[in-house]
Amino acid sequence: MLKLYNTLSGAKETFASLVPGSVRMYVCGVTVYDYCHVGHARSALIFDVLRRYLEYRGFSVEFVKNFTDVDDKIIKRANDQGVPYEMVTKKFIQAYYDDMGRLGVRRATREPKATDHMVDIINLVEILIAKKLAYRNNGDVYFDVARYEGYGRLSKRKLVELLVGARIEVDERKRNPMDFALWKASKPGEPAWPSPWGPGRPGWHIECSAMSIRHLGETFDIHGGGMDLIFPHHENEMAQSCGATGKEFARFWVHNGFVQVNKEKMSKSLGNFFTIREIFETLRAEQGWTEKTTGEVLRYFLLATHYRGPLDFSDEGLRKAKSALDGFYDLFERLKESGSNDAIENERLKESVDRIRLGFERAMDDDLNTPVAVAEFQRFRGEVNKLLETGLSDLSRRQAREEFRRLGAVLELFQLETWQFNPRKVHIEDRIDVNDIGAAAIRFSDADIEQKLAERADLRSRREFQKADQIRSLLASDGITIEDKPDGTTRWKR
């Protein structure tokens, strides 16, 4: 049974959907005023994997992810460039699709824009005013936090403590410094829409409540986003939604951790961020990696850390991800070759397949534990490599590769037919320790290869299989595949 960590309860809970066999999920999308960075990529990827795993488990998933397409940052960008705000949002919505496409992130079932839901937003604000949970002030409308008893339930913060610690400039338009805007009166140079309170535009929080209720209903299964959204965005969403409907808003609140650089959160405000397109362009220029190779390396890197924990972005992490994938695709190349004609269907392969399925599902059921799932794939890879040494039939080879594809599809890994074995080149004089295979990659001459194979054969004779496998990986990093034949000989090719 799938268990997810629910921020609302502060514990892992067994997941059960409101409607058996069907899941409704809403995830807060991006504000489209700039290119996406790795933090955005991590959030998009995690909820893409959650959706895929729910589908793997037999659920139909109705997945809604919004675009915030009216916001202070968007308006400032448009005014700075002297263009309509729609030009800014159109450009960066397309950029978002381009970046997510490179990463293999599927589009949501529906991807609504805030500006297409003004009627829903205004109706929701009117309900809150009628229930005396919101008040008007010269064209602005604010949510009255003090009148909603459950405020702080999601973020585990008490209103009294928030007020004492509030570092908010005095705003005479508010009754309470923690009150937040539902509707903002128009200002010169800003886009505006008509409303019962005069021309203006919505506050940020009300947009998501209106869109999620419109497309998924007043109560749905999963609400997701980054941990930075827990407070105030999701806290405010919950307050205004529950206040308006009198019902629970979302049953599970799922949040992914931050991406860090040097242990500090990656963000545009700190200037320590890397956009997705910059990473692709840099790796193409410096490493020669293709778009598909880079996309899979980034996915592997992002999934190698549990989604709730912090993830430190680094060149070293990407290099290790590439090295690991080199090892997988080296195996896949070997599986393409013909097996021995007299090889008998290997029962041990069936046992390995059963183990990888059980281990993969157990890991994913445990709060989407992708690092353990990846480790299960690594174990399966090692088992198949050993089975190849004793001989596998063509059928067994196809079955092994298909299992990597089938389970890997949940993570969108191992799906490529060809792989690029050309990491950064260094001088031949650079020494590489066999115990640190990922340190660098070199071009091996034929004599070098034969020498490495002789070393590997010696290690295997002494049953030091781990070190022998490291030599295989070292050769694979230079695009060299080797195959151990049942008669004891070893073949290699570039």
Side-chain angles (χ1 to χ4, degrees):
M1 296 290 289
L2 172 62
K3 290 188 176 182
L4 291 174
Y5 184 87
N6 190 348
T7 304
L8 183 58
S9 66
K12 289 183 189 179
E13 297 179 22
T14 299
F15 178 77
S17 57
L18 282 166
V19 178
S22 178
V23 174
R24 288 174 291 163
M25 178 168 69
Y26 184 91
V27 172
C28 289
V30 294
T31 300
V32 282
Y33 74 99
D34 205 346
Y35 295 111
C36 292
H37 58 60
V38 182
H40 299 130
R42 188 186 194 194
S43 184
L45 179 56
I46 290 304
F47 292 103
D48 178 61
V49 169
L50 176 55
R51 174 199 196 175
R52 289 170 184 263
Y53 189 63
L54 288 166
E55 291 174 341
Y56 172 89
R57 280 303 199 185
F59 291 97
S60 64
V61 181
E62 194 172 2
F63 180 25
V64 177
K65 181 164 59 176
N66 76 296
F67 289 110
T68 293
D69 64 337
V70 57
D71 176 86
D72 290 342
K73 295 174 182 177
I74 295 171
I75 294 168
K76 183 180 186 306
R77 176 64 61 91
N79 289 341
D80 289 346
Q81 296 180 356
V83 299
Y85 83 95
E86 297 96 335
M87 287 186 63
V88 173
T89 59
K90 182 179 180 180
K91 172 183 176 180
F92 290 112
I93 286 174
Q94 185 56 54
Y96 174 86
Y97 284 135
D98 292 342
D99 290 341
M100 293 304 115
R102 292 186 181 102
L103 288 170
V105 174
R106 292 163 52 192
R107 292 196 181 190
T109 312
R110 284 188 294 280
E111 297 180 334
K113 296 184 292 185
T115 56
D116 290 336
H117 291 74
M118 287 301 169
V119 172
D120 301 296
I121 290 168
I122 290 169
N123 288 343
L124 190 56
V125 174
E126 287 184 310
I127 291 171
L128 291 168
I129 292 174
K131 290 192 170 188
K132 301 188 183 306
L133 289 170
Y135 56 92
R136 303 167 56 174
N137 190 332
N138 295 324
D140 295 318
V141 182
Y142 291 95
F143 186 86
D144 194 339
V145 170
R147 295 185 64 88
Y148 179 72
E149 294 182 359
Y151 196 79
R153 192 159 55 103
L154 180 66
S155 59
K156 312 298 184 292
R157 306 183 188 198
K158 295 181 179 179
L159 182 57
V160 173
E161 295 171 353
L162 289 170
L163 289 172
V164 171
R167 296 181 179 180
I168 301 172
E169 294 182 7
V170 175
D171 189 340
E172 294 181 354
R173 294 171 298 176
K174 296 182 181 182
R175 296 175 181 173
N176 183 314
M178 295 306 300
D179 292 350
F180 55 90
L182 301 174
W183 188 262
K184 300 178 180 181
S186 64
K187 298 177 182 177
E190 292 186 352
W193 287 261
S195 81
W197 322 287
R201 58 187 174 89
W204 177 32
H205 314 300
I206 198 69
E207 296 173 1
C208 285
S209 289
M211 285 185 279
S212 57
I213 290 172
R214 173 69 176 83
H215 292 287
L216 297 176
E218 294 178 342
T219 304
F220 50 92
D221 296 297
I222 299 171
H223 196 313
M227 284 185 177
D228 55 328
L229 299 182
I230 296 173
F231 186 87
H233 184 50
H234 285 172
E235 189 70 67
N236 292 350
E237 266 193 77
M238 174 182 282
Q240 65 200 9
S241 301
C242 295
T245 67
K247 301 175 182 177
E248 192 64 87
F249 184 39
R251 298 173 62 249
F252 281 78
W253 292 80
V254 179
H255 294 95
N256 64 274
F258 298 127
V259 175
Q260 301 178 152
V261 178
N262 296 323
K263 308 302 180 183
E264 189 173 45
K265 178 195 169 188
M266 181 185 293
S267 71
K268 287 187 170 69
S269 61
L270 294 174
N272 65 343
F273 67 95
F274 302 93
T275 67
I276 298 169
R277 58 188 50 218
E278 283 174 342
I279 293 170
F280 274 83
E281 290 168 1
T282 299
L283 292 175
R284 182 178 66 247
E286 296 183 359
Q287 306 286 355
W289 293 358
T290 65
E291 189 168 283
K292 289 185 177 180
T293 296
T294 301
E296 185 145 345
V297 169
L298 273 172
R299 285 188 76 101
Y300 191 98
F301 167 72
L302 292 170
L303 294 173
T305 300
H306 191 273
Y307 79 89
R308 286 195 289 115
L311 184 150
D312 203 45
F313 182 81
S314 66
D315 291 339
E316 175 75 4
L318 292 177
R319 181 191 59 72
K320 288 181 177 179
K322 176 62 165 61
S323 178
L325 285 166
D326 283 346
F328 281 106
Y329 278 95
D330 170 51
L331 171 61
F332 302 156
E333 286 299 311
R334 297 174 65 209
L335 290 172
K336 290 179 182 178
E337 298 179 1
S338 297
S340 300
N341 293 331
D342 58 352
I344 300 173
E345 184 63 22
N346 198 313
E347 289 297 324
R348 285 189 295 166
L349 176 63
K350 294 180 180 179
E351 294 171 1
S352 290
V353 167
D354 289 341
R355 278 195 296 272
I356 179 63
R357 288 177 182 174
L358 180 62
F360 175 80
E361 291 174 0
R362 184 185 293 120
M364 296 297 285
D365 280 344
D366 183 18
D367 193 28
L368 222 65
N369 199 331
T370 56
V372 174
V374 167
E376 291 293 334
F377 280 118
Q378 291 169 338
R379 185 180 71 172
F380 184 48
R381 171 195 158 208
E383 292 176 353
V384 174
N385 266 318
K386 290 179 181 178
L387 290 173
L388 278 174
E389 296 174 4
T390 59
L392 280 177
S393 68
D394 290 342
L395 177 60
S396 291
R397 289 166 182 256
R398 287 194 299 271
Q399 288 176 334
R401 180 65 179 102
E402 182 55 36
E403 198 62 23
F404 276 107
R405 281 198 185 94
R406 191 182 74 85
L407 296 179
V410 176
L411 309 181
E412 190 58 15
L413 295 176
F414 317 133
Q415 304 301 302
L416 302 180
E417 289 299 324
T418 59
W419 184 249
Q420 189 177 14
F421 293 98
N422 62 336
R424 178 176 60 88
K425 305 301 185 293
V426 298
H427 295 296
I428 191 74
E429 297 83 22
D430 291 354
R431 297 187 62 183
I432 299 178
D433 187 339
V434 72
N435 294 309
D436 186 20
I437 293 303
I442 63 176
R443 299 297 296 180
F444 290 104
S445 67
D446 289 1
D448 293 331
I449 296 168
E450 295 295 346
Q451 179 183 351
K452 288 297 180 186
L453 291 179
E455 293 174 10
R456 178 173 176 270
D458 180 59
L459 289 168
R460 284 160 56 84
S461 69
R462 291 186 275 117
R463 305 188 66 79
E464 296 184 46
F465 295 113
Q466 185 174 3
K467 289 184 178 180
D469 285 344
Q470 289 175 335
I471 291 180
R472 177 193 290 280
S473 296
L474 177 60
L475 295 173
S477 72
D478 196 39
I480 298 159
T481 61
I482 62 177
E483 181 181 9
D484 298 307
K485 305 299 289 182
D487 63 4
T489 60
T490 299
R491 295 192 310 174
W492 65 268
K493 66 178 181 179
R494 295 189 184 276

